Amino acid sequence: MPQQDDGVRLGAESLGVPLGERATLVQFSSAFCQPCRATRRTLAEVAAMVDGVTHTEIDAESRLGLVRRLRIESTPTVLVLDAQGVIVRRAAGQPRKADVIAALGEAVREGSPRYRAPLDAPPRTSSR
């Protein structure tokens, strides 16, 4: 899973579901996308293998605002989020199971040591 999104964080409000305790696999799909079905199976299998990891699928057509903010250009697109919702990895197309597991390992291992505001949070202001 090749790509990273520097500093982008998603909250439960953006996704419409709670984040996983350790990590979240987010899949953007479309109705007639054959690779989306295989991706759904792969991500569900990987999520079932690791405690505290959830998989959620988002219909790209019904969430166009989020798709635009995240620059999702094709389906399936998979985002791997750490426990705080920071995007650790992104991949377009059907991912290999081994790549998902490796990206998930990175998300669980690294966590998010510094604060990053979710897309749906108001901007932080400094108190100077």
Side-chain angles (χ1 to χ4, degrees):
M1 301 192 71
Q3 203 174 21
Q4 284 187 307
D5 288 76
D6 190 34
V8 176
R9 180 173 173 242
L10 298 172
E13 296 82 15
S14 291
L15 298 176
V17 296
L19 296 175
E21 185 178 311
R22 297 179 69 199
T24 305
L25 301 171
V26 179
Q27 174 184 348
F28 285 87
S29 299
S30 53
F32 300 104
C33 168
Q34 186 65 28
C36 293
R37 293 182 190 116
T39 298
R40 179 185 311 121
R41 284 190 300 274
T42 298
L43 297 181
E45 287 175 14
V46 172
M49 292 170 37
V50 184
D51 288 337
V53 174
T54 61
H55 165 238
T56 188
E57 188 171 2
I58 296 173
D59 176 51
E61 289 181 51
S62 68
R63 302 292 305 277
L64 287 176
L66 183 60
V67 165
R68 288 182 182 119
R69 283 188 294 182
L70 294 172
R71 297 179 314 278
I72 304 294
E73 297 176 359
S74 63
T75 60
T77 291
V78 176
L79 306 178
V80 179
L81 312 180
D82 67 11
Q84 289 76 38
V86 175
I87 300 173
V88 175
R89 290 282 175 203
R90 161 196 290 249
Q94 184 179 338
R96 295 179 318 143
K97 189 173 184 177
D99 293 335
V100 176
I101 292 168
L104 188 57
E106 182 180 337
V108 170
R109 179 177 58 251
E110 287 185 5
S112 282
R114 56 192 177 275
Y115 175 83
R116 295 178 186 171
L119 283 176
D120 50 7
R124 289 177 68 177
T125 58
S126 66
S127 56
R128 290 186 204 182

